[in-house]
Amino acid sequence: MVNVTLAEFSNRFVYAAMASYTIAMITFAISMAATRGRDLVPAASTPVREQSGGVAVATRVETTLGGPNDGALPPGRRSANIAMSITWLATILLGIGVLLRGLSVGRVPWGNMYEFSITSAFAVSLAFLVLSLKRDLRWLGIFVVLPVLLTLGLAVSVLYTDAEQLVPALKSYWLVIHVSAAVICGGAFCVGAAVTMLFLVADAGERRAAAGKPFRLDWLARRLPPAGSLDAMAYRIHAFMFPLWTFAIVAGAIWAESAWGRYWGWDPKETWAFITWVAYAAYLHARATAGWKGRKASVIALIAFGCFLFNYFGVNLVITGLHSYAGV
């Protein structure tokens, strides 16, 4: 039985989260505009030979976003701090909205595309915030908050479905195991794709600066960490999440056997989940064996993320299959 009151409160919390994300996005934009940026060099860790007492020593060219300012916060830092705080608030509000949605029907809130979308948006935001606990990711904020806000907008305007009970095939504990793993991976893959795209911008900026050529996105490239750092970060995110994506596919196969009597039937959802797995495996394999780093590996990573997005939007909204998420 559906608790209409809790469902209505869930909707209100989701809208409150959207308002908070909007404020955070604007504040992140203000922060980026105020940041002075850095001087682009061919490589952030390129050694520079200097003479010290007649002996050549190796030093490194240090670049920062803003730099010290007589003990005051660097330009844009205060706005970035405020934006991060608002993002935490928005994520908490969205998490409460997802929780109330589940409580309103007495199940996990993953029974339709609307519920899966708001949960995915929560996972993306939470993944960004968790990663930010270990390193400064204020520069990434606007590129995470924007897709989260777009996902929520699509969920409430196009994908919204009234809270209702699950179809029989979904009434299994494997729903929690399989979908939770997929949601976590989706959040991390989204953050990884954002870092990968920003790496391409930073790398192009450094290459053109070294060649003395103008760059159309120079204003953005100067406000990003060095390209090498972005490339390494993207790799670590994908490498960490790939085993969990593998587990999600295996758990889905076990659930399929329980629900439909077969482990694998090349349903569109299963097929594209496998294609996504192959694409991310190719990315990791290329880096591990062929030594591909930088732009070549980034292209493969973005192709893999494109497969993931098609599996999420294309298969769910266009192609009909056995999975209950196919269609709205």
Side-chain angles (χ1 to χ4, degrees):
M1 187 174 181
V2 177
N3 189 319
V4 179
T5 302
L6 288 180
E8 180 61 28
F9 272 110
S10 171
N11 295 341
R12 293 179 182 179
F13 272 98
V14 171
Y15 280 111
M18 291 179 64
S20 299
Y21 279 122
T22 301
I23 298 173
M25 180 183 65
I26 295 172
T27 313
F28 273 126
I30 293 173
S31 172
M32 177 167 288
T35 301
R36 284 201 301 262
R38 63 186 174 90
D39 294 328
L40 294 178
V41 294
S45 60
T46 301
V48 179
R49 308 298 295 186
E50 294 183 350
Q51 295 294 116
S52 177
V55 180
V57 296
T59 61
R60 294 179 183 275
V61 177
E62 298 293 342
T63 59
T64 60
L65 299 181
N69 185 20
D70 297 330
L73 290 175
R77 176 57 64 90
R78 188 182 302 277
S79 297
N81 291 343
I82 294 173
M84 289 296 294
S85 299
I86 298 175
T87 304
W88 274 106
L89 173 62
T91 304
I92 292 172
L93 292 173
L94 182 56
I96 294 174
V98 173
L99 177 62
L100 291 178
R101 177 76 176 197
L103 292 176
S104 69
V105 287
R107 58 168 174 78
V108 291
W110 305 324
N112 50 63
M113 274 292 290
Y114 167 76
E115 295 173 357
F116 192 76
S117 294
I118 62 175
T119 304
S120 297
F122 172 73
V124 172
S125 186
L126 186 62
F128 163 67
L129 292 174
V130 170
L131 289 173
S132 71
L133 294 177
K134 291 189 175 182
R135 58 191 307 167
D136 185 1
L137 296 181
R138 294 174 179 86
W139 52 270
L140 183 60
I142 190 173
F143 302 102
V144 171
V145 170
L146 180 59
V148 166
L149 191 56
L150 291 175
T151 300
L152 291 176
L154 178 65
V156 301
S157 62
V158 178
L159 304 176
Y160 182 79
T161 302
D162 290 332
E164 57 187 17
Q165 295 300 321
L166 292 173
V167 297
L170 291 180
K171 293 180 179 180
S172 170
Y173 60 88
W174 283 106
L175 171 65
V176 179
I177 298 173
H178 168 64
V179 180
S180 61
V183 166
I184 294 172
C185 289
F189 285 157
C190 184
V191 175
V195 174
T196 299
M197 287 185 284
L198 293 177
F199 156 74
L200 292 175
V201 174
D203 181 65
E206 292 179 3
R207 289 174 181 272
R208 287 183 174 269
K213 298 180 180 179
F215 182 45
R216 186 175 301 177
L217 295 178
D218 179 71
W219 62 271
L220 175 57
R222 290 181 178 275
R223 289 165 170 79
L224 298 174
S229 298
L230 294 174
D231 187 37
M233 184 189 305
Y235 171 71
R236 285 194 293 268
I237 292 173
H238 291 126
F240 183 76
M241 281 295 109
F242 181 74
L244 185 59
W245 182 250
T246 303
F247 170 78
I249 293 177
V250 173
I254 297 174
W255 184 16
E257 197 280 331
S258 175
W260 300 311
R262 88 291 188 277
Y263 289 100
W264 198 269
W266 296 106
D267 180 76
K269 193 75 171 179
E270 298 168 347
T271 301
W272 277 96
F274 177 69
I275 291 175
T276 302
W277 183 89
V278 170
Y280 277 115
Y283 165 75
L284 297 176
H285 179 76
R287 292 194 64 126
T289 59
W292 280 16
K293 294 182 180 180
R295 291 182 294 178
K296 290 182 179 179
S298 296
V299 170
I300 301 177
L302 292 180
I303 291 174
F305 185 65
C307 294
F308 177 83
L309 288 181
F310 183 80
N311 188 32
Y312 179 71
F313 289 106
V315 174
N316 286 337
L317 301 178
V318 179
I319 303 175
T320 302
L322 288 174
H323 286 73
S324 64
Y325 291 148
V328 179

